[in-house]
């Protein structure tokens, strides 16, 4: 498994065995580790966000993480990534969402330089539509 065989990767793969297969780690942030996985039953790629183990043991943070996932799962909008499942297993807490292939905005700007104003305007408009929709849903 090479670089993907971190303790978090191995623990999550064990917990999700039979439902999802983990392929690799996509990234880490302060509140999550995101893995590329495959939904076994539906044969589709998914992104799985794991609450880091040092937070999963803190009841308030774990509850907030799971509530945010459940809230996001209620939203159905073309500019909001769908949440498919919320999973808990012992000390592990994660949610499964659609995988969106491609580069991050930071990667695009770093590689290609500043984006044309029309492209930025379209992106801002799409984000605003998603935020307005979420607000209408009480988020």
């Amino acid at each position: 498994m090479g670089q993907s065989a971190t303790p978090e990767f191995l623990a999550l793969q064990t917990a999700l065995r039979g439902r999802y297969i983990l392929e690799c780690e996509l990234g880490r942030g302060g509140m999550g580790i995101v893995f590329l996985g495959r939904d076994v039953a539906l044969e589709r790629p998914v992104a799985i966000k794991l609450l880091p183990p040092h937070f999963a043991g803190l009841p308030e943070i774990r509850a907030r993480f799971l509530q945010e996932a459940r809230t996001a799962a209620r939203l159905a909008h073309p500019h909001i990534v769908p949440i498919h499942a919320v999973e808990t297993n012992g000390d592990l807490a994660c949610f499964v969402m659609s995988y969106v292939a491609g580069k991050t905005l930071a990667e695009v700007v770093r590689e290609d330089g500043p984006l044309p104003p029309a492209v930025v305007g379209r992106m801002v408009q799409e984000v605003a539509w998603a935020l307005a929709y979420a607000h209408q849903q009480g988020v």
Side-chain angles (χ1 to χ4, degrees), residues 23-91:
E23 296 182 9
C24 65
E25 184 177 309
L26 294 173
R28 285 178 181 252
M31 290 299 294
I33 305 166
V34 180
F35 297 95
L36 173 61
R38 177 154 294 281
D39 183 317
V40 173
L42 298 175
E43 299 180 355
R44 66 179 174 188
V46 292
I48 302 171
K49 183 174 183 178
L50 174 69
L51 181 63
H54 61 279
F55 286 130
L58 302 173
E60 184 177 310
I61 293 176
R62 180 184 177 105
R64 187 173 23 171
F65 177 85
L66 294 171
Q67 184 56 45
E68 287 175 9
R70 290 180 182 111
T71 299
R74 291 193 337 252
L75 304 177
H77 188 274
H79 302 300
I80 298 174
V81 177
I83 306 292
H84 303 304
V86 174
E87 301 275 342
T88 58
N89 185 320
D91 291 338

Side-chain angles (χ1 to χ4, degrees), residues 7-28:
E8 298 92 353
F9 180 98
L10 295 172
L12 186 59
Q13 181 62 71
T14 299
L16 299 178
R17 180 174 284 127
R19 291 174 292 157
Y20 302 98
I21 297 170
L22 296 186
E23 296 182 9
C24 65
E25 184 177 309
L26 294 173
R28 285 178 181 252

